[in-house]
Amino acid sequence: PYPSQLAMMNHMIRALNGSQNTMIESPTGSGKSLALLCASLAWRQSFMAKRRQLLANVNQIISRFCRDNHQLLVAKFAGDIDDDDAEPNNVSAPDKPSKPRGPELAEPAPPKDNDDDDDDFMPTTKSKAPEESKNKANHDPAYLQQMALIRRAETVDYIIDLARTRMPDGVSLDDLSVLSGFKDQGEEASHAPRIYFGTRTHKQVSQLIDELRRKTPYRLRTAVLGSRAQTCIHGRAKKAAASGESVDDMCRTLREDDNCGPFRAYRKIIGHKKLARRGELEIWDLEDLVTLGRKNMACPYFASRDMAGTAELVFCPYNYILDPAVRKAAGINLDHNVVILDEAHNIENAARDAGSFEVTDSQLSVLAFECAKLIGDQHVHDGELLTTGGGIILLEEHRVLRTFAETLSNWLQRDSNTYEYRDFETETSVWPKPDCSVSLVLQRLALTPEVVARIKSAFSKIDEQNSSARSQASQNKSMGLPAEEQQQLSAGALRIVESLLRVLDHVANGSRYASDFRMAIIRSPNPELRDQAAAKKRKRYSVGPQQIPPFVNTLAFWCMNPGVVFNEIAQQSRSIVLTSGTLSPLDSYASELQVDFASTLEANHVIDPARFLALSIECGPSGSPLEAKYRTTDQLSFQDDMGEAIASIAARCPDGMLVFAPSYALLNKLLARWEVTGHLAEINVHKEVFIEPQGGGSKDQFDKLLAAYRDHLQRDSNTFQPLQRGALMFAVYRGKVSEGIDFSDYYCRTVVNIGIPYPAFKDVKVVLKREYNDAYSNPSVHKRVLLNGSKWYDIQAFRAINQALGRCL
């Protein structure tokens, strides 16, 4: 391993041993991901061995205590056993967590009873009194020892309490120290920590799994979490995705109607021999699971979720961990578990996005319409509505949600709304204002704390009733009974209410995070006016008039503080490890996240400075400054000189080459000009040209593009042939090509960065974030000191540059 990898692993293991959070900056190309895997899995292996030894020692001490203190044991446990506990197998274990937090360590096996003791558990003659039989069973040493071992935490507390007045027989001071250590660790003493390994994209997850397979000796239960859009194999759901509809909604509809065969068969994948220990796919990727699912007509999505519940290592994109709603939906439980976030330079922005929420007036109208439809023409019975199918609809609760949705929708659509920010065709108004706070706006909308509490209660009852109805339907199905018609709010409508209630909690007057949010209303042109496909979709699913409204009105709650989301994660998890090649400055990054990082590390690069060359080209052949500023990018002299410079570099540099532009708008402008001037044809003489599709394109489209780029370079890298053309990829900063994809060796010998990718200067959220940071940049006023707005703005740009440059390292 490289020295930087050893430093990373040493640093990380110390943090995990101490249940601390740590932040590690290691340059791109220094083997960071492999070091993270090896360190975390080695630590877990050692941790589990120590835990097993600790539990074995505690069990031995308890066994000695039981052997030498029979009367104390009777006094503790015999009176606690009721008639239902007469058999050892029915004894509960209150010290075991009520819900799983990962793969638990095995409890001690019940001791085998001698044949001579069989009569201690049941009467041998019909004349024996039941009470006498029960008392004898309750006083049996083997039975009581089993009770003490199963109720381990309770027994440990009992022994420690006894030792305060008199040391029990068979227990030494060293034993007491062991028991005290076990008690101090609480639930962690019997909990096997699960490792959640998050990174930015599924492509990066695939690279991590490949490294785990090929470069490490560790073989353990793993799982990969992905979306329905990536894993669903049902034909109707795939057609829905192709037409722009929600795969999630189609999946739920198919399951509720019992029309999804793959869902019914998903357990075929879980028990498949290929996924078993030492099987062909012991360490599997999402694509492996989808292939297996297609062959067996079994659902990969629900199989992966099920396997994640018992996995020791779970891979996922990090928005699954950051976003509270996604985390809940995916069944991710962070309690006492380890969280590793690679490529964490985007965590600040991702956490702010996860804490924010936006909803349009049309979405609110759909929510109101669904509520009205459920309560509109049904008959009332004892305060509840009975549907024609016999199901129950909660009358008052649905009325509360309908009023909530209509109140917000009507407010958004008012013509009297004023807007202080204008950008092209979009208008925005933001609170708090100098004369009006967010809480005052909510008060004017009658969303007082009391009303919000009523909405929460209504939502909770509806959600609980819907869950109960689904459980009953599943039970009826398993018993072969006919399914009742289920009429309830859609999952999308429930998500809107849940998310709104979450942000209303944060912005409420008196909340610790009230000053960390900005509330906004946004009016923008309706894209359906230009998008015929969206218009057709609206006609199919419209709940109101068919006329397309000219504007979309959006209610937004923007989170300025990533700590709102990240602090919750830190409180739940055992340790958090953040790593990236571009985290500096580390102190301000930790301050942004509002998490205490007990240690930080900035590792050195592994590449010899003599092995690379970094240049800054100030002007082109005609002398025009090559500054990609707003006022210069439209100048033909700039565009022509940039084309000449890139053609010249392409002619002199072998193999792969990446060129990054600040935006697709500028990239398209340059390519169009070079097509006219012949610069693009000149580049194509030396390199096969590939262009990253806007937004990265679909997963299949991007994967095909990347494969074509690499295939071309593999052909050209044949050492027995003369120098070939190589390949060049045009891409943008912060896109799929610029972050997390490995372009090792001849896949990328040269990176060209055009301009500095500052965030849009007049973007409302950028303006608000800069103002927010300025307000918290004075150490004499605030304990949590942030970089001022200008420095924060600069760092956003230079992190993107460094990420792009790192593709060739």
Side-chain angles (χ1 to χ4, degrees):
Y2 296 122
S4 62
Q5 289 178 308
L6 292 174
M8 278 182 63
M9 291 188 285
N10 181 45
H11 189 83
M12 185 173 166
I13 289 172
R14 285 205 311 268
L16 293 175
N17 281 332
S19 298
Q20 298 172 330
N21 303 320
T22 186
M23 191 183 301
I24 301 172
E25 182 180 66
S26 183
T28 303
S30 58
K32 174 175 73 271
S33 298
L34 182 60
L36 289 173
L37 285 169
C38 290
S40 59
L41 297 180
W43 168 81
R44 189 182 186 281
Q45 192 176 70
S46 172
F47 178 92
M48 295 299 294
K50 292 176 183 176
R51 280 292 176 269
R52 283 190 289 269
Q53 186 60 52
L54 173 63
L55 292 177
N57 293 341
V58 170
N59 290 342
Q60 288 178 1
I61 295 168
I62 291 175
S63 297
R64 290 201 302 271
F65 170 79
C66 294
R67 182 193 64 201
D68 298 338
N69 299 274
H70 180 68
Q71 292 305 317
L72 292 175
L73 208 60
V74 170
K76 173 63 179 173
F77 290 115
D80 295 343
I81 305 173
D82 57 24
D83 292 336
D84 293 333
D85 292 327
E87 294 293 338
N89 291 337
N90 292 333
V91 176
S92 62
D95 62 302
K96 188 173 180 179
S98 59
K99 61 180 180 178
R101 290 186 172 91
E104 303 293 334
L105 296 178
E107 294 288 351
K112 293 183 179 180
D113 301 320
N114 295 328
D115 293 340
D116 297 339
D117 296 329
D118 287 345
D119 59 351
D120 292 336
F121 290 92
M122 57 175 23
T124 55
T125 65
K126 293 184 179 180
S127 63
K128 185 178 286 189
E131 187 65 28
E132 179 185 351
S133 172
K134 178 185 171 185
N135 288 337
K136 187 171 183 181
N138 293 354
H139 288 71
D140 177 69
Y143 182 72
L144 290 172
Q145 178 174 329
Q146 181 182 350
M147 285 284 295
L149 288 169
I150 290 176
R151 296 162 67 169
R152 184 165 46 208
E154 190 178 343
T155 306
V156 168
D157 288 343
Y158 183 52
I159 297 172
I160 292 174
D161 289 341
L162 289 172
R164 290 192 175 98
T165 55
R166 176 182 173 275
M167 188 69 73
D169 294 339
V171 179
S172 66
L173 288 174
D174 289 341
D175 293 339
L176 199 62
S177 176
V178 171
L179 297 180
S180 297
F182 175 84
K183 180 179 179 179
D184 291 342
Q185 293 176 23
E187 290 183 354
E188 288 193 18
S190 57
H191 172 68
R194 177 179 296 143
I195 298 172
Y196 286 99
F197 203 125
T199 188
R200 188 183 177 210
T201 65
H202 277 288
K203 193 71 180 175
Q204 292 164 325
V205 168
S206 297
Q207 291 176 3
L208 286 168
I209 293 170
D210 185 55
E211 293 212 333
L212 178 63
R213 279 175 180 159
R214 295 189 300 107
K215 299 180 181 179
T216 78
Y218 299 103
R219 293 297 177 265
L220 68 167
R221 292 193 302 277
T222 62
V224 185
L225 293 175
S227 66
R228 287 179 174 90
Q230 293 170 306
T231 55
C232 185
I233 60 173
H234 197 287
R236 284 177 61 185
K238 292 180 74 66
K239 287 180 181 177
S243 61
E245 299 172 30
S246 170
V247 178
D248 290 2
D249 290 343
M250 178 59 72
C251 172
R252 293 185 181 96
T253 300
L254 290 168
R255 286 188 294 115
E256 288 168 4
D257 296 343
D258 196 23
N259 284 332
C260 187
F263 170 70
R264 294 193 295 269
Y266 79 88
R267 295 187 185 277
K268 287 182 182 178
I269 298 179
I270 298 172
H272 201 281
K273 62 181 181 180
K274 286 189 176 181
L275 302 178
R277 189 164 183 80
R278 297 201 173 103
E280 182 182 336
L281 298 175
E282 182 180 5
I283 306 293
W284 52 270
D285 195 0
L286 210 56
E287 285 74 14
D288 299 323
L289 207 65
V290 171
T291 301
L292 201 60
R294 288 199 180 102
K295 288 181 179 178
N296 293 273
M297 280 307 295
C299 178
Y301 175 77
F302 284 97
S304 65
R305 283 189 55 176
D306 195 299
M307 287 187 281
T310 57
E312 298 158 303
L313 173 62
V314 178
F315 295 100
C316 60
Y318 51 55
N319 69 297
Y320 282 57
I321 297 171
L322 295 176
D323 192 311
V326 177
R327 190 164 68 236
K328 178 182 176 182
I332 293 175
N333 191 336
L334 301 180
D335 289 353
H336 306 298
N337 292 323
V338 174
V339 176
I340 301 173
L341 300 176
D342 196 10
E343 302 296 338
H345 53 278
N346 286 314
I347 288 295
E348 177 209 329
N349 295 332
R352 284 193 289 111
D353 289 343
S356 303
F357 180 68
E358 295 183 3
V359 61
T360 66
D361 53 350
S362 62
Q363 290 173 315
L364 291 168
S365 297
V366 170
L367 169 59
F369 177 83
E370 287 190 23
C371 291
K373 185 178 179 182
L374 288 173
I375 66 177
D377 57 356
Q378 312 298 327
H379 60 281
V380 182
H381 177 71
D382 293 337
E384 297 173 336
L385 284 172
L386 299 179
T387 67
T388 53
I392 294 176
I393 301 296
L394 301 176
L395 171 63
E396 186 59 33
E397 286 74 10
H398 282 84
R399 280 181 177 164
V400 169
L401 294 193
R402 181 181 67 179
T403 302
F404 177 44
E406 288 176 344
T407 298
L408 294 177
S409 179
N410 292 337
W411 177 60
L412 286 174
Q413 294 171 350
R414 290 188 317 171
D415 292 331
S416 58
N417 289 332
T418 58
Y419 305 91
E420 61 267 25
Y421 294 94
R422 288 177 173 80
D423 180 20
F424 192 43
E425 296 177 315
T426 301
E427 300 174 308
T428 307
S429 184
V430 179
W431 289 269
K433 303 180 191 295
D435 59 342
C436 186
S437 65
V438 172
S439 59
L440 183 57
V441 175
L442 297 177
Q443 189 175 352
R444 289 172 179 172
L445 292 170
L447 292 175
T448 61
E450 295 76 20
V451 172
V452 172
R454 281 187 61 200
I455 297 170
K456 282 183 184 177
S457 175
F459 171 75
S460 178
K461 290 178 181 178
I462 291 172
D463 192 39
E464 183 179 346
Q465 193 237 15
N466 288 354
S467 299
S468 176
R470 285 193 293 270
S471 299
Q472 185 63 48
S474 177
Q475 186 177 349
N476 289 347
K477 175 186 163 187
S478 64
M479 297 171 62
L481 299 176
E484 292 184 357
E485 181 183 359
Q486 297 294 322
Q487 293 191 20
Q488 52 188 233
L489 292 177
S490 65
L494 291 173
R495 282 198 302 272
I496 288 173
V497 179
E498 184 177 21
S499 298
L500 277 170
L501 290 174
R502 174 172 55 83
V503 292
L504 286 175
D505 269 347
H506 289 320
V507 302
N509 197 19
S511 165
R512 63 178 291 197
Y513 295 124
S515 62
D516 296 325
F517 279 81
R518 301 293 180 265
M519 179 178 171
I521 56 174
I522 307 151
R523 174 167 290 192
S524 55
N526 194 331
E528 293 180 15
L529 295 172
R530 301 189 182 102
D531 188 345
Q532 294 299 318
K536 289 180 181 178
K537 180 181 174 183
R538 177 186 178 85
K539 288 181 180 179
R540 288 198 303 271
Y541 298 99
S542 177
V543 298
Q546 297 297 312
Q547 184 178 0
I548 299 175
F551 296 102
V552 172
N553 300 288
T554 303
L555 171 63
F557 293 91
W558 291 326
C559 179
M560 300 290 108
N561 175 13
V564 173
V565 167
F566 209 79
N567 191 48
E568 179 184 351
I569 296 171
Q571 289 178 352
Q572 293 179 23
S573 54
R574 173 192 174 93
S575 293
I576 294 177
V577 180
L578 297 187
T579 67
S580 178
T582 54
L583 287 176
S584 295
L586 302 186
D587 291 343
S588 69
Y589 207 75
S591 182
E592 283 274 4
L593 298 177
Q594 279 191 277
V595 170
D596 178 29
F597 289 91
S599 60
T600 59
L601 173 68
E602 295 182 69
N604 296 323
H605 213 297
V606 300
I607 297 179
D608 185 343
R611 299 289 303 275
F612 68 87
L613 175 66
L615 297 173
S616 174
I617 303 176
E618 297 181 2
C619 60
S622 71
S624 299
L626 295 181
E627 297 177 348
K629 296 180 179 179
Y630 179 75
R631 64 176 179 269
T632 61
T633 53
D634 283 333
Q635 297 175 5
L636 297 183
S637 57
F638 165 82
Q639 297 174 12
D640 294 347
D641 274 10
M642 186 62 71
E644 187 71 30
I646 290 176
S648 178
I649 294 170
R652 289 167 173 78
C653 295
D655 301 329
M657 177 174 165
L658 302 177
V659 179
F660 293 99
S663 67
Y664 286 106
L666 177 58
L667 179 58
N668 292 334
K669 188 185 299 182
L670 292 174
L671 292 174
R673 175 62 181 174
W674 297 342
E675 186 105 30
V676 174
T677 61
H679 288 116
L680 193 59
E682 186 179 350
I683 293 170
N684 208 43
V685 170
H686 308 290
K687 305 283 185 187
E688 184 76 15
V689 174
F690 298 85
I691 302 171
E692 180 183 32
Q694 188 154 353
S698 67
K699 182 179 182 300
D700 289 344
Q701 184 182 6
F702 181 76
D703 287 347
K704 288 178 181 177
L705 176 73
L706 197 59
Y709 173 84
R710 287 179 166 164
D711 287 347
H712 186 85
L713 287 167
Q714 285 172 346
R715 290 198 307 271
D716 284 2
S717 65
N718 189 334
T719 56
F720 299 102
Q721 298 292 333
L723 182 64
Q724 301 296 309
R725 292 165 57 234
L728 183 149
M729 176 90 75
F730 285 107
V732 297
Y733 299 106
R734 303 186 184 93
K736 289 186 177 181
V737 172
S738 69
E739 299 192 22
I741 295 183
D742 185 14
F743 290 95
S744 59
D745 302 326
Y746 54 80
Y747 289 129
C748 181
R749 299 293 188 190
T750 309
V751 173
V752 176
N753 284 355
I754 299 174
I756 300 175
Y758 287 105
F761 187 77
K762 293 185 178 181
D763 182 276
V764 177
K765 287 195 277 188
V766 172
V767 172
L768 294 173
K769 176 60 177 171
R770 292 183 66 173
E771 292 174 352
Y772 176 85
N773 274 46
D774 283 337
Y776 282 90
S777 62
N778 189 343
S780 63
V781 178
H782 300 283
K783 291 182 180 179
R784 182 173 67 98
V785 180
L786 305 179
L787 290 175
N788 65 42
S790 294
K791 290 182 179 178
W792 172 87
Y793 186 69
D794 290 340
I795 283 176
Q796 301 305 303
F798 289 109
R799 279 186 181 141
I801 284 180
N802 290 337
Q803 281 295 313
L805 288 172
R807 294 314 94 207
C808 67
L809 300 178

